[in-house]
Amino acid sequence: MKLVTRAALSWPPSAADPASPSRGLVIHYDSSDQGLARKPHSACLAYWRRTRAFHMGPSRGWSDLGYSWGACPHGYILEGRGLGRYQAAQGTTAGNRDWYSVTLMSGPNEDPTPEQIDAVRQLRAWLMSKGLGAAVKGHRDFFSTSCPGDRLYRLVKGGTFSRSPEEGDDDVSAKDVWTYEIKVPFGTKENPEWQAKSLLLNNNERIRGLEEKVGELTALVRELLKEKS
Ligand SMILES: [Zn+2]
Ligand SMILES: [Zn+2]
């Protein structure tokens, strides 16, 4: 995990109340597009400092930045409140006490980069090695809010952030289908047992049939040419 610590940001340890989040990780976003993926990583650090100043300023008045961590498009995890602290992000007391939070620092029209998704997976794996539960939720699961945006929420529900870092993104490869005869739902009552493998086998049979025919025709052409000469 490429971690940017509070110490690296020259921040003192978080003044937020101690807590022992154990349930899982909550995904957040920024309500406006930030374009950080197109900018150098220094822009992410500036964003992180700005967000902390905003959260500690007059409009929020919190003791520290609201999130436990941030995951930037370049694949870095930026430390916010860090381990063992109450959140200010989740919108409910239980949510802030029992769940860690991570923001993807992006807006409603931005997709996370593969590096960013992997950073969240690495963060989660690290937290789980420290005893955190496996659950991944979106902010809107706790509180009526647009956060983490429809794009990120779809990924939350689809399990994108719940995979282990090494797992990659292909649920089932063609090789898996072939080797393990994994059933692919065909969606009709008449054909509930349809498998991708049967389609591959049928294609193989057809190709072999065509090869035979081509062989026969080639032999025929050769014979005709011989007769002609
Ligand atoms: Zn949020
Ligand atoms: Zn970055």
Side-chain angles (χ1 to χ4, degrees):
M1 187 164 75
K2 297 191 291 183
L3 178 66
V4 179
T5 62
R6 292 178 70 91
L9 294 159
S10 304
W11 294 352
S14 177
D17 288 337
S20 306
S22 62
R23 301 284 303 278
L25 192 59
V26 183
I27 305 291
H28 295 263
Y29 82 153
D30 193 297
S31 52
S32 55
D33 294 346
Q34 297 298 320
L36 292 173
R38 299 188 308 272
K39 296 176 186 169
H41 180 59
S42 57
C44 305
L45 299 177
Y47 170 88
W48 203 229
R49 291 180 192 284
R50 241 179 9 252
T51 304
R52 182 166 184 259
F54 173 68
H55 284 176
M56 294 177 75
S59 67
R60 291 283 190 275
W62 295 337
S63 63
D64 193 6
L65 194 151
Y67 307 109
S68 330
W69 286 280
C72 87
H74 312 98
Y76 287 89
I77 291 294
L78 311 186
E79 191 175 24
R81 295 189 172 202
L83 287 171
R85 290 285 190 276
Y86 260 87
Q87 320 298 297
Q90 257 68 289
T92 70
T93 303
N96 285 334
R97 184 190 60 218
D98 299 338
W99 297 75
Y100 278 120
S101 60
V102 60
T103 176
L104 273 72
M105 305 159 59
S106 57
N109 305 302
E110 297 179 298
D111 290 314
T113 64
E115 292 83 0
Q116 202 167 12
I117 290 170
D118 201 54
V120 174
R121 290 173 178 169
Q122 288 183 36
L123 171 67
R124 176 171 169 270
W126 178 63
L127 291 171
M128 285 175 71
S129 79
K130 296 185 175 301
L132 186 71
V136 177
K137 286 188 182 286
H139 188 183
R140 63 176 69 169
D141 292 324
F142 292 81
F143 189 76
S144 175
T145 170
S146 65
C147 186
D150 291 344
R151 294 186 183 209
L152 289 179
Y153 193 62
R154 217 176 296 132
L155 298 182
V156 168
K157 296 311 260 184
T160 293
F161 300 112
S162 305
R163 294 182 212 282
S164 66
E166 305 81 24
E167 226 175 319
D169 279 306
D170 282 327
D171 267 338
V172 180
S173 68
K175 189 161 179 268
D176 288 337
V177 170
W178 181 259
T179 310
Y180 305 111
E181 300 188 35
I182 293 166
K183 286 174 190 168
V184 177
F186 195 45
T188 65
K189 277 181 189 159
E190 292 75 28
N191 192 12
E193 290 298 306
W194 186 90
Q195 296 183 17
K197 180 164 181 172
S198 59
L199 185 68
L200 292 172
L201 283 175
N202 288 347
N203 277 343
N204 266 7
E205 241 162 66
R206 262 185 58 215
I207 288 167
R208 249 177 264 127
L210 287 171
E211 278 174 347
E212 257 170 51
K213 280 220 176 85
V214 168
E216 282 168 21
L217 287 171
T218 307
L220 188 63
V221 168
R222 281 213 188 97
E223 249 170 62
L224 288 171
L225 282 173
K226 220 187 275 172
E227 272 174 30
K228 207 181 156 198
S229 58

